[in-house]
Every structure is written in structure tokens, then in C-alpha cells.
């Protein structure tokens, strides 16, 4: 449960505004809070009336993140929450693949996403047919699929993983004796995971007609897809920031390139990055991930000096607004629906992932 509870239990729009100010005054200008408070009050009222639970990814904008979700977190935490809720409606303030995962885990519930434009460049970077081809090339290798994929791709997979448990999932497969592991679709997460575990890394052939590349044993076989946001951070950006702020703690999401990870102080999922800021004592912190998260952390930790590198934003996460969230609840839109056969097949790799602690 999040600390947004204080805002959610406000009894009037005026009280909602007062509590939003208490929470967000150092981060969101008052004029914006005034614009959003009535909407937030109405979302929280309707949520109770409709027996809905709102899940909010860590990348949501501060006025939404700190005011309406019952649960916030990274992909892994929100997957767990989707499997456990007893609400009738799950309203997912995140991107499509996250809402699909909620639907797979709670197929009899109504799962809503506030915008149809909330995609993901990684998820769009691989198809189910690509996975079938990879399985032909590497018949003995289990397929680990990042949750940032669509349901039909998960349906072709053996295990899912998130950035929070990729190392644990691959370690589990190594302990079962697997020497080749297909890891899809994020090339950088796969490379970073291989580097962390001291494994070889290869990319598959580009053309269907080519012979598969075999790496040194044990190997991770990756795929050529990247997050369009995280791939833009460069090592020289980090060097520049360090010249200006020599003791800054640089915290990178593992969708950043291995070169960027190498010059950062810590790497982890969005949840882990939040924890690093809480636990580390540094004069400044720089997050190499979607910019809104810096604001969300600043609201919660007014004593921490968060630097921002906000030139690159996730256009898909930014599609989810307070206004659309209210419309989603009012009009029961946009409902996530998946073929039952895909739900059944995609559930197994997600369940296997959730069993690994
Ligand atoms: P997390 O699982 O770390 O929250 O990341 C999701 C994501 O989309 C990162 O770009
Ligand atoms: Fe997808 Fe990247 Fe946006 Fe995350 S930040 S949702 S991986 S495009």
C-alpha cells in the first residue's frame, strides 16, 4: 500500500488539494495541483464505488503517482499485486504490456488501461514468429522473456523476468544445468545480465537462412531490440555530470548500455533505484531512467538532491494522465482483452517467474 493513502482518504476536493500540497509542494507547482485536485478526488471516489484497484508504475507523473494508486512499484511488484487483488476492476496506470500481464494473472477481472497509445518500443521489437524461429535455431535453450513483451510472445516462452529478477531467473536456469539461455528482447538487459553472471553473450543471425551463432559455454543468446529511452544515455553524459558534481551517485536502469552501466555506481529495476536513493548518503543523485521517477522520489525525500537528465522521456508512459485515468473509470475504458488460449499459455512463464524469489 502506498503513502498516497493520505490523499485518497480526503473527504472533499478542498481536502484533496490540501493533502496533495502537503505531499507535492516542493515538486509540482500549485497551479497544477489546483487543476488536478478535483479530478483526483473524483477518481478516488469512483474507485471505491466501482470496487476498483489502481496500480501505478514508478514512471507515472507525480500528481498521479502520489494521489490515486493503491499500489505503486516496478513491473515485478505490480505483477504480484495483479495476481493477489480481490477488486472487480484493475485499472493499470502503466503501459500496455503491464496491463496485459495483469489480465493474464487475473483473467476473470476487468483490466483497464487509460490510454491506447501506451505502448513500448521494446515490446514492439519482437514477435511470436521471431521467438519460434529462435527456438528452431537453438532447440535446447530455454526462452526467458522480459515482461516488456506482448502476451503472444510470452506464450512462446518458458520463463518471464523483469529487470528486478533477471539475474535470479537466469541463475535458476543455470542451476538446472542449462548452458544456453535465450533472453529476449532487450539486448542491453541481456548483455548486462550476462556480464553480471560472467556468461558469454551472442546475438542470433540477422537472416533466416544463416547458421546460428554459438557462443562459449554458458551463453546468453540475445535479440536486437532496445528501449528507445534508455539506449540514449551515453557514458560521456555521465562523465560530464561527474565533472560538475564529483560525488554524485549515478544510478542506472539495466536497459541502459553496458558502457553506461560500467560508469554508474549502481544498477537496478525502478524499485531498486528508489531504494538506492533512500539508502545511500550522497550530495546528489542522478537517475538514468524516465525523468518522472526523479520527481516522485524528490516528493518523498525532500532532503535528497535529485539531478535531472530529462531530455529523453518515455512517450508511452507519459500518455497516462490524471484526466485519462478518470475517463477510464467513468467509461470503463480501455478494456484489455486477450484470446483465452494466449492467456493460458502466457500464464505459465509468468507463474514460474513469480515462484522464483
Ligand atoms: P521496471 O520493471 O524496472 O519498473 O521497468 C519497467 C520499464 O519499462 C523500464 O523502462
Ligand atoms: Fe518501454 Fe522504454 Fe518506455 Fe520502459 S521506458 S515502457 S522499456 S519504451
Amino acid at each position: 500500500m502506498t503513502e498516497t493513502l493520505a490523499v485518497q482518504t480526503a473527504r472533499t476536493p478542498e481536502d484533496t488539494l490540501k493533502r496533495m500540497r502537503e505531499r507535492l509542494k516542493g515538486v509540482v507547482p500549485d497551479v497544477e495541483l489546483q487543476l488536478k485536485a478535483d479530478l483526483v478526488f473524483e477518481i478516488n471516489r469512483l474507485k471505491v464505488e466501482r470496487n476498483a484497484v489502481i496500480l501505478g508504475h514508478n514512471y507515472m507523473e507525480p500528481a498521479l503517482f502520489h494521489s490515486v494508486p493503491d499500489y505503486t512499484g516496478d513491473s515485478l511488484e505490480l505483477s504480484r499485486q495483479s495476481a493477489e487483488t480481490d477488486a472487480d476492476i484493475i485499472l493499470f496506470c502503466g503501459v500496455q504490456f503491464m496491463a496485459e500481464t495483469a489480465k493474464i494473472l487475473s483473467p476473470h477481472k476487468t483490466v483497464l488501461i487509460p490510454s491506447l497509445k501506451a505502448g513500448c518500443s521494446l515490446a514492439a521489437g519482437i514477435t511470436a514468429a521471431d521467438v519460434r524461429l529462435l527456438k528452431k535455431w537453438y532447440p535446447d535453450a530455454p526462452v526467458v522473456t522480459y515482461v516488456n513483451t506482448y502476451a503472444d510472445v510470452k506464450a512462446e516462452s518458458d520463463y518471464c523476468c523483469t529487470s528486478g529478477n533477471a539475474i535470479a531467473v537466469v541463475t535458476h536456469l543455470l542451476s538446472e544445468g542449462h548452458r544456453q539461455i535465450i533472453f529476449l528482447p532487450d539486448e542491453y538487459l541481456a548483455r548486462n545480465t550476462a556480464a553480471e553472471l560472467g556468461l558469454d553473450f551472442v546475438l542470433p543471425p540477422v537472416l533466416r537462412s544463416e547458421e546460428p551463432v554459438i557462443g562459449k559455454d554458458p551463453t546468453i543468446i540475445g535479440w536486437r531490440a532496445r528501449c528507445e529511452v534508455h539506449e540514449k544515455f551515453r557514458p560521456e553524459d555521465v562523465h560530464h555530470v561527474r565533472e560538475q558534481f564529483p560525488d554524485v551517485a549515478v544510478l542506472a536502469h539495466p536497459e541502459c548500455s553496458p558502457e553506461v552501466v560500467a560508469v554508474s555506481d549502481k544498477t537496478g529495476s525502478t524499485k531498486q533505484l528508489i531504494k538506492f536513493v533512500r539508502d545511500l548518503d550522497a550530495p546528489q543523485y542522478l537517475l538514468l531512467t524516465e525523468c518522472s521517477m526523479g520527481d516522485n522520489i524528490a516528493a518523498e525525500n525532500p532532503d535528497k538532491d535529485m539531478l535531472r537528465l530529462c531530455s529523453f522521456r518515455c512517450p508511452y508512459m507519459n500518455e497516462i494522465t490524471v484526466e485519462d485515468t478518470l475517463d477510464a473509470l467513468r467509461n470503463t475504458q480501455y478494456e484489455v482483452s486477450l484470446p483465452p488460449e494466449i492467456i493460458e499459455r502466457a500464464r505459465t512463464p509468468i507463474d514460474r517467474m513469480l515462484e522464483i524469489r
Side-chain angles (χ1 to χ4, degrees), residues 57 59 74-75 97-98 148 163 230 253 255 269-270 317:
H57 186 261
Y59 288 164
D74 63 3
S75 310
F97 72 81
M98 296 178 178
N148 298 35
S163 53
H230 292 89
H253 195 277
E255 289 170 11
S269 75
T270 55
M317 290 282 185

Side-chain angles (χ1 to χ4, degrees), residues 86 104 116 142 313:
D86 53 12
I104 293 163
L116 292 175
R313 310 291 308 259

Side-chain angles (χ1 to χ4, degrees), residues 11-26:
R11 286 170 187 259
T12 60
E14 295 72 31
D15 197 21
T16 303
L17 177 58
K18 181 170 160 273
R19 294 182 190 203
M20 286 176 78
R21 278 181 178 140
E22 279 161 15
R23 184 101 183 128
L24 292 163
K25 64 177 180 305

Side-chain angles (χ1 to χ4, degrees), residues 313-333:
R313 310 291 308 259
C314 175
Y316 313 105
M317 290 282 185
N318 283 289
E319 280 292 331
I320 308 295
T321 61
V322 173
E323 290 78 358
D324 290 341
T325 302
L326 178 55
D327 285 347
L329 266 183
R330 271 190 181 143
N331 307 326
T332 319
Q333 69 192 28

Side-chain angles (χ1 to χ4, degrees), residues 180-247:
Q180 285 185 328
I181 297 164
I182 298 172
F183 189 113
L184 309 169
D186 185 8
E187 179 186 337
Y188 286 160
L189 178 64
R191 281 187 188 274
N192 287 324
T193 305
E196 182 76 25
L197 293 172
L199 311 180
D200 199 16
F201 175 86
V202 294
L203 283 168
V206 176
L207 300 177
R208 187 173 276 267
S209 53
E210 285 178 66
E211 283 297 306
V213 185
I214 308 291
K216 282 193 234 97
D217 191 9
T219 307
I220 284 195
I221 300 142
W223 185 249
R224 292 177 180 81
R226 294 174 190 169
C227 161
E228 69 181 55
V229 183
H230 292 89
E231 74 170 348
K232 295 202 177 95
F233 293 108
R234 302 166 309 165
E236 48 271 43
D237 300 329
V238 177
H239 297 320
H240 271 130
V241 175
R242 285 198 198 280
E243 270 166 30
Q244 202 180 344
F245 303 96
D247 295 318

Side-chain angles (χ1 to χ4, degrees), residues 268-285:
S269 75
T270 55
K271 176 189 175 183
Q272 290 159 344
L273 298 184
I274 293 170
K275 188 166 174 344
F276 292 144
V277 177
R278 281 192 197 125
D279 294 351
L280 288 173
D281 188 14
Q284 299 89 19
Y285 304 82

